[in-house]
Amino acid sequence: MQIELHGVTRRFRSRNVETTALNGLSLEIPSGQLTTVIGPSGCGKTTMLAIMGLLEAPDEGEVRFDGAPVSRLGRRRRLVLRRERVSFVFQSLNLIEEISVLENVALPARYMSLPARECRARAEQALEEMGLGFRAQHFPFQLSGGQRQRVAIARALAMRSDLILADEPTGNLDRDSSAGVLEALLACRARGTTVVLVTHDPDIAELGDFVVEMQGGHVVNGRAGELSERRPAPSGRWVEAIAT
């Protein structure tokens, strides 16, 4: 899935204060690639992910999926589109501790009204791909931090979404666990899934096909990362920053 943001502005208002999280941001995320996003805290990275994933609508501007405008769709249509095409991997994970790893991975697919047998088969396959098949009947509290993150990625895989949005998935992990999570996201990319990874770690950021730098609600730089340098980049424009 190709994602385009055109002139996106998002403001948050309290009683006496208005904060601009995104200010006329324009960005194109190429289909089937790993794009990493880096920038200081408060620069708008998480807000941008929320808008990409249709969790929020921009105050100004437009979001497009594969060229089709989606940000102004009705609430129900955005919900259906998000459920069918987008998966999230957050630092908080949102795993349910009282049910098994397998049940956690299968749960979102059940909301798509898929047969229980297919939900289970998808979950089992996703866990095997993440190297966690042997943990299927364990509970999340029995796993390491890196394993829990891979369960969250397996949950996204089981949904077979076109887009995975990952917000600081390695933020609380050691180097070895972080490497396992990155390997899992690269496996998603190898299947043709578009992956957007937000990070504070410049070493991790450089591992993408493309690196987007943000500051003050803008894209200030976009460049090829290490993965892109190992092979030809896809044709066409991939990032456009508008400075205001």
Side-chain angles (χ1 to χ4, degrees):
M1 181 198 292
Q2 183 186 50
I3 314 298
E4 298 172 63
L5 278 66
H6 295 281
V8 168
T9 294
R10 184 71 172 100
R11 305 180 186 91
F12 295 96
R13 300 174 180 86
S14 61
R15 180 176 299 178
N16 299 314
V17 178
E18 179 177 283
T19 302
T20 300
L22 298 176
N23 191 1
L25 182 145
S26 291
L27 175 66
E28 184 177 319
I29 303 294
S31 179
Q33 308 296 308
L34 170 61
T35 298
T36 56
V37 183
I38 191 168
S41 297
C43 72
K45 301 186 301 296
T46 296
T47 300
M48 182 184 71
L49 282 193
I51 288 176
M52 280 185 186
L54 304 181
L55 291 173
E56 296 183 13
D59 295 308
E60 301 170 15
E62 185 176 70
V63 180
R64 295 179 183 177
F65 286 180
D66 291 330
V70 296
S71 53
R72 302 302 175 186
L73 296 174
R75 180 178 178 182
R76 179 170 178 78
R77 180 60 186 136
R78 283 189 289 120
L79 172 63
V80 171
L81 192 58
R82 183 171 68 243
R83 186 173 61 195
E84 292 177 349
R85 304 199 67 184
V86 184
S87 291
F88 298 89
V89 180
F90 294 120
Q91 196 170 343
S92 57
L93 300 185
N94 298 321
L95 300 178
I96 301 173
E97 302 292 338
E98 293 79 17
I99 64 177
S100 71
V101 165
L102 180 65
E103 291 170 317
N104 266 281
V105 174
L107 187 60
R110 292 178 59 185
Y111 288 113
M112 297 173 66
S113 301
L114 295 173
R117 182 177 297 179
E118 182 173 351
C119 293
R120 182 182 181 92
R122 284 190 182 194
E124 289 174 340
Q125 180 181 351
L127 285 170
E128 288 293 339
E129 289 182 16
M130 293 297 102
L132 291 172
F134 71 105
R135 291 288 197 178
Q137 298 306 322
H138 288 75
F139 291 88
F141 63 83
Q142 296 175 304
L143 307 182
S144 69
Q147 288 173 332
R148 290 169 64 91
Q149 280 287 8
R150 281 188 282 157
V151 169
I153 296 170
R155 183 174 58 192
L157 273 179
M159 292 291 288
R160 300 184 181 173
S161 302
D162 300 313
L163 171 66
I164 294 178
L165 302 174
D167 192 4
E168 292 284 354
T170 63
N172 293 326
L173 302 180
D174 58 35
R175 183 62 64 176
D176 289 342
S177 297
S178 295
V181 170
L182 291 170
E183 183 178 352
L185 289 172
L186 287 172
C188 297
R189 162 189 168 275
R191 293 175 48 163
T193 303
T194 302
V195 181
V196 181
L197 167 65
V198 162
T199 182
H200 280 99
D201 188 329
D203 292 332
I204 290 175
E206 291 299 329
L207 294 177
D209 291 285
F210 304 102
V211 183
V212 174
E213 295 183 30
M214 290 184 63
Q215 191 169 22
H218 297 283
V219 172
V220 295
N221 190 23
R223 64 184 187 279
E226 289 185 9
L227 285 176
S228 185
E229 291 173 357
R230 298 174 193 166
R231 62 180 187 178
S235 61
R237 176 178 56 92
W238 74 275
V239 63
E240 175 191 359
I242 296 179
T244 58

